[in-house]
Amino acid sequence: MLEEVERWLATRSWSVTDRPLHQILAAKQRTGQSVSVVLPALNEEETVGDIVAVIRHDLMTQVPLVDELVVVDSGSTDRTAAVAAAAGARVVHRDDILPRLPAAPGKGEVLWRSLLVTGGDILCFIDADLREFSSDFVSGIVGPLLTEPDVDLVKGMYDRPLAGAAGQGGRVTELMARPLLNMHWPQLAGFVQPLGGEYAARRSLLEQLPFPVGYGVELGMLVDALHLVGLDALAQVDVGVRKHRHQDGQALGRMAAAIYRTAQLRLARGHLVRPSLTQFERGEDGFEPRTYSVDTEERPPMVEIAEYAARQVA
C-alpha cells in the first residue's frame, strides 16, 4: 500500500461515533449548509417506506439535520412510489426530470437527474433496498462534510453479511472493483466499500462530474473525484452493518462488466472493446447464450445542462 494511502487511512477514515449528533448539528447551524437525502428506487416497496420513516423521524422531526428527503422512482411497477410518499418522502419520477432528454436505464441516471430536483448544498445518497436501516448511515457520512471544510465526498463503510456469514457480501467489489483500483488507481486502495451506495458529497463537486448511467456510477465517481479534488478531499466513515437484498450470479456478472467498462473509459485506453456481455442459461437443447449490452453511456457534468444553469441563476 502506498504511504499516501496509509496516511489517508489514519486521517480520513472515521467511525460514526467520532462525531456526536449534537456536534454535527452545531456545525450545520454554524455553516448554514443544507442537506438533501436522495433514495434512487426501482421496485423497492418492501423496504423504502421503513428507510424514509427512520430518516424523517430521527433526522427531520427529532433533530433538524436533513432539509429534504426525495425518492426518485426510476420506473417501478410495484407500490414503491405510494409507499415512499405515505412514509413522508417527496417522490419524483425519473422521466419527469429533464423530459427533453429521454432517460437511460440505470441507477447512475437517477442520481444524475436528482441534482435537478434537490436544493441541498450537500447531497446524501442512500440505496432503497436496505433492511434494518439506521439513521447513522446518513448522519455518519454527512457529518464530515459539515465539520471538515476540506472534505468533499464521504463514502460509507460497513460489514456486508451474506447468508448469515460475516464479511462475505460485496462480491463484485472483491472480484472486480478492488483489483481495478489497486492496479490502476492505487491512491483509492484504502476505500473499504468503493462500490457502496451510501455516500454524500458537496453539490459543488457533484455538478462537475460526469455520471455513468448504470452500475459504474460509484467507481466512476470515485476516480473522477480523485482527479478533480485529490485524495485528501475524500473520506470514509464506518457506519456498522449493511443488510440488503443480494443479487444472483448473472446479475453480478453484468454489474462487473459495467464497472470494468467504466474503468476502461477512464484509462488512457485507445483499444477497441466490444461493450457487451454473453452469459449462458441451460435450455431444452443445452446451454443457450444470452447477450446483454453493457451500459456505457454517461451524462455530462450537470453544470453543462442549460436547465440547471437557469435554475442556478433564478
Side-chain angles (χ1 to χ4, degrees), residues 73-248:
D73 190 329
S74 58
S76 297
T77 56
D78 65 0
R79 298 182 60 253
T80 291
V83 170
R90 176 164 64 94
V91 177
V92 183
H93 294 273
R94 175 199 61 193
D95 295 348
D96 294 334
I97 308 170
L98 201 62
R100 71 167 175 84
L101 196 64
K107 176 185 176 183
E109 177 82 355
V110 174
L111 299 183
W112 182 72
R113 289 177 185 250
S114 75
L115 297 183
L116 271 165
V117 293
T118 53
D121 302 303
I122 294 169
L123 273 74
C124 174
F125 299 122
I126 301 290
D127 280 351
D129 66 341
L130 302 188
R131 302 179 184 279
E132 300 178 29
F133 177 77
S134 167
S135 60
D136 283 350
F137 274 65
V138 175
S139 59
I141 57 181
V142 166
L145 293 166
L146 291 169
T147 61
E148 310 289 334
D150 53 350
V151 170
D152 289 330
L153 185 149
V154 181
K155 295 281 293 188
M157 57 176 168
Y158 28 67
D159 296 315
R160 297 181 67 179
L162 176 64
Q168 296 304 305
R171 291 162 288 173
V172 175
T173 293
E174 299 304 327
L175 295 174
M176 175 60 71
R178 199 176 307 286
L180 279 173
L181 293 176
N182 276 263
M183 287 187 290
H184 299 298
W185 296 281
Q187 287 177 294
L188 297 174
F191 278 94
V192 175
Q193 297 291 353
L195 300 185
E198 289 68 50
Y199 49 98
R202 300 190 192 281
R203 177 179 294 272
S204 57
L205 171 63
L206 293 172
E207 66 186 12
Q208 297 182 69
L209 299 178
F211 276 61
V213 300
Y215 287 126
V217 63
E218 275 84 23
L219 183 134
M221 189 176 295
L222 263 188
V223 171
D224 294 339
L226 173 67
H227 290 307
L228 192 62
V229 296
L231 181 60
D232 283 340
L234 313 180
Q236 60 184 352
V237 173
D238 186 349
V239 292
V241 179
R242 183 186 197 267
K243 297 181 180 180
H244 66 111
R245 182 187 68 250
H246 294 281
Q247 302 195 55
D248 62 32

